[in-house]
Amino acid sequence: KQEVTQIPAALSVPEGENLVLNCSFTDSAIYNLQWFRQDPGKGLTSLLLIQSSQREQTSGRLNASLDKSSGRSTLYIAASQPGDSATYLCAVDDTGTASKLTFGTGTRLQVTL
Amino acid sequence: DAGVIQSPRHEVTEMGQEVTLRCKPISGHDYLFWYRQTMMRGLELLIYFNNNVPIDDSGMPEDRFSAKMPNASFSTLKIQPSEPRDSAVYFCASSMGQELTQYFGPGTRLLVL
């Protein structure tokens, strides 16, 4: 059974700092991996999706990398801002249809002024 | 589009009562997902539909839980009878065809006393 772990569980950084969030998964036979953002009291918003054949994806200040063979992904946030404060979850897709995603428990990020 | 709509946003009920959660997916989306999020277990997929047909309900915890999708624009998740351990945030999400991104609703926060 696929297990997805995110470390650290919580992180606090000062504004402007670059940071890395980690995601690891036990079964490397995945089709893709997604990073989501969840704001308090709200649903999840998809940030980046990396196909298994890709090494990384970028969107603005966000860069996600995938090392499928080692079962790891990282989300890099450049020049962090208070508005980046949220919980970040990664999810892996074992089916190729994004119908059965296995989610990590998330990293709660706080960016302070 | 208004996004995925869920109602109610908050529900407080007593053990043994029936609870019905409602979801309206994004128009044109043919996949609908029900998730449950708790501190202990994180985000778990309960059931998903494709073209109004339940495809996989292996995540439904027990017979007290049931879900229906009578048409493309409406789905319900029912818990009968409810128990305190059902307290969680329940999310509905939808996606379209081969797109891999799921769009989440704001969730229903359920408290069973």
Side-chain angles (χ1 to χ4, degrees), chain B residues 11-15 19 21 35-42 44 61 64-65 79 81-90 108-113:
Chain B
E11 177 82 22
V12 180
T13 190
E14 293 187 347
M15 184 174 64
V19 175
L21 311 181
Y35 290 91
R36 177 172 68 175
Q37 186 176 41
T38 63
M39 288 293 293
M40 291 297 295
R41 300 175 66 89
E44 302 173 288
R64 297 184 297 106
F65 286 70
I79 308 172
S82 58
E83 297 182 3
R85 60 195 169 115
D86 301 330
S87 298
V89 182
Y90 291 81
T108 295
R109 187 173 296 273
L110 173 65
L111 178 61
V112 182
L113 302 174

Side-chain angles (χ1 to χ4, degrees), chain B residues 5 12 15-16 20 25 30 38 41-42 44 47 52 54 58 62 65 68 79 87 91-92 99 109:
Chain B
I5 299 172
V12 180
M15 184 174 64
T20 300
D30 54 354
T38 63
R41 300 175 66 89
E44 302 173 288
I47 184 172
N52 312 337
S58 59
E62 48 198 276
F65 286 70
K68 295 182 179 179
I79 308 172
S87 298
F91 288 102
C92 176
E99 283 194 11
R109 187 173 296 273

Side-chain angles (χ1 to χ4, degrees), chain A residues 2 4 9 13 15 27 30 33 35 37 41-43 46 55-57 59 63 73-75 80 88 96 102-103 112:
Chain A
Q2 180 76 267
V4 182
V13 300
E15 182 180 13
D27 186 346
I30 66 169
L33 181 146
W35 283 92
R37 167 183 174 140
K42 297 187 178 181
S46 181
R55 295 285 294 182
E56 64 179 62
Q57 281 285 340
S59 177
N63 176 277
S73 176
T74 61
L75 179 66
S80 58
Y88 292 82
T102 302
F103 283 83
T112 58

Side-chain angles (χ1 to χ4, degrees), chain B residues 47-64:
Chain B
I47 184 172
Y48 77 92
F49 296 81
N50 178 222
N51 291 322
N52 312 337
V53 176
I55 303 300
D56 188 333
D57 65 355
S58 59
M60 297 285 262
E62 48 198 276
D63 291 344
R64 297 184 297 106

Side-chain angles (χ1 to χ4, degrees), chain A:
Chain A
K1 179 185 173 185
Q2 180 76 267
E3 293 184 3
V4 182
T5 304
Q6 291 186 245
I7 295 174
L11 180 64
S12 181
V13 300
E15 182 180 13
E17 193 163 297
N18 303 324
L19 60 101
V20 174
L21 307 181
N22 298 293
C23 171
S24 61
F25 44 96
T26 54
D27 186 346
S28 62
I30 66 169
Y31 287 82
N32 60 72
L33 181 146
Q34 296 187 57
W35 283 92
F36 291 84
R37 167 183 174 140
Q38 183 175 23
D39 292 287
K42 297 187 178 181
L44 281 69
T45 301
S46 181
L47 297 173
L48 290 165
L49 183 148
I50 311 176
Q51 298 278 13
S52 60
S53 58
Q54 297 175 319
R55 295 285 294 182
E56 64 179 62
Q57 281 285 340
T58 298
S59 177
R61 294 182 294 106
L62 306 180
N63 176 277
S65 67
L66 174 63
D67 184 344
K68 193 176 135 179
S69 61
S70 67
R72 295 178 183 176
S73 176
T74 61
L75 179 66
Y76 175 83
I77 303 177
S80 58
Q81 304 171 356
D84 295 329
S85 299
T87 296
Y88 292 82
L89 296 97
C90 65
V92 299
D93 176 11
D94 296 315
T95 67
T97 63
S99 299
K100 295 195 74 171
L101 300 179
T102 302
F103 283 83
T105 50
T107 294
R108 188 170 66 253
L109 172 67
Q110 182 175 13
V111 181
T112 58
L113 293 171

